[in-house]
Amino acid sequence: QVFVCGDDMEAKQKVMDIARALGLTPLDKGSLLAAQEIENYPLQLFPMWKFPILLSFGLTAFFFFYCLIRDIIYPYVYDKEDFSFFIAISIANRICPTLALILLALVYLPGVLAAIIQLYRGTKYRRFPDWLDKWMLCRKQLGLVALAFASLHVLYTLVIPIRSFVRWRISSQTVSQALNNRTEPLNNTNAWLSDSYLALGILGFFLFVVLGITSLPSVSNTVNWREFRFVQVR
């Protein structure tokens, strides 16, 4: 894109025609008052990522301290049990899926709010409030951050079987059954529930990845609106 601003519409149109002839996409940014904003674009560092990153840090801190109090401090104070090692994987694996779902909901929530505002106003040609406009402009970034948290959740889940705590718990159960000379029978209901839960998680993550890929400009520009909407709805 080539940003163009000016007070002379005829001159601005000629510049935009030259940009199109060069294979570029001109974008009218208004009068010369916008020149300073355009000149400052190269000095900006990920301007559209500021809100998603700050929101992610805030939510991460909130859920981290909540899990820290619930899973580590509370058992240590009342039961004298030290579960501080939960910080490395267990708490992180709780935070990641929670944030992924919250951020994914925040991707589609502004669209719902925008539709409600348009229905209330009875027109779609009035500008949205500034807060809603900025929110809608960073939806793609929110979705990609949500995908990053979902990917971390997958990695944390994969390393669960090799954790020392998990291997200790499994060996303790094995020794307990051996000492009691009793083998716990397989619960088919729990097995079905566990496998179904994992299968749905894998399918959901796959659809999440497809959604994230189609939101990239290099991919979304190659599909038409109907194909993009089909992926979004699914």
Side-chain angles (χ1 to χ4, degrees):
Q1 289 183 338
V2 176
F3 300 125
V4 181
C5 66
D7 296 329
D8 189 332
M9 290 300 299
E10 184 178 354
K12 187 161 55 174
Q13 188 61 45
K14 290 182 179 179
V15 174
M16 296 174 70
D17 291 339
I18 294 174
R20 293 191 186 95
L22 294 174
L24 305 174
T25 303
L27 183 63
D28 190 351
K29 297 294 289 185
S31 66
L32 280 176
L33 295 176
Q36 184 177 1
E37 179 184 356
I38 294 175
E39 291 171 355
N40 289 333
Y41 278 159
L43 304 178
Q44 296 179 356
L45 183 63
F46 303 115
M48 300 306 299
W49 287 86
K50 183 179 297 183
F51 173 71
I53 295 299
L54 292 177
L55 179 63
S56 301
F57 276 126
L59 291 174
T60 300
F62 171 77
F63 285 109
F64 173 78
F65 286 111
Y66 171 78
C67 293
L68 183 69
I69 296 172
R70 180 178 180 271
D71 297 333
I72 297 178
I73 297 179
Y74 183 85
Y76 182 78
V77 171
Y78 288 94
D79 299 327
K80 302 301 179 182
E81 295 179 338
D82 184 11
F83 293 128
S84 57
F85 57 89
F86 279 1
I87 295 177
I89 294 180
S90 296
I91 291 181
N93 202 26
R94 288 188 180 184
I95 294 174
C96 289
T98 303
L99 261 65
L101 292 176
I102 292 176
L103 293 175
L104 183 62
L106 293 177
V107 171
Y108 294 99
L109 181 58
V112 176
L113 296 177
I116 294 174
I117 292 176
Q118 288 179 341
L119 291 174
Y120 175 77
R121 292 175 173 177
T123 179
K124 64 178 182 178
Y125 296 106
R126 290 179 57 186
R127 287 184 58 87
F128 295 121
D130 289 339
W131 61 269
L132 182 58
D133 188 52
K134 293 179 181 178
W135 187 358
M136 295 184 69
L137 288 175
C138 68
R139 287 181 296 175
K140 183 185 299 181
Q141 287 77 11
L142 285 171
L144 292 176
V145 175
L147 178 58
F149 278 107
S151 302
L152 286 175
H153 173 54
V154 171
L155 295 177
Y156 277 120
T157 303
L158 290 176
V159 302
I160 286 178
I162 63 175
R163 293 180 60 195
S164 176
F165 172 71
V166 174
R167 288 187 283 111
W168 170 82
R169 188 169 57 184
I170 293 174
S171 62
S172 298
Q173 293 175 351
T174 303
V175 172
S176 176
Q177 292 184 29
L179 293 176
N180 296 326
N181 196 21
R182 180 173 57 88
T183 302
E184 292 291 338
L186 176 64
N187 190 322
N188 287 330
T189 301
N190 290 337
W192 265 105
L193 290 175
S194 176
D195 287 358
S196 300
Y197 174 79
L198 294 174
L200 290 175
I202 294 172
L203 178 61
F205 180 69
F206 170 75
L207 295 176
F208 204 166
V209 171
V210 172
L211 182 64
I213 292 175
T214 54
S215 66
L216 297 175
S218 58
V219 178
S220 61
N221 291 336
T222 62
V223 298
N224 57 40
W225 173 248
R226 187 177 183 183
E227 293 170 341
F228 181 77
R229 185 172 178 81
F230 174 81
V231 176
Q232 292 284 328
V233 172
R234 295 302 176 272

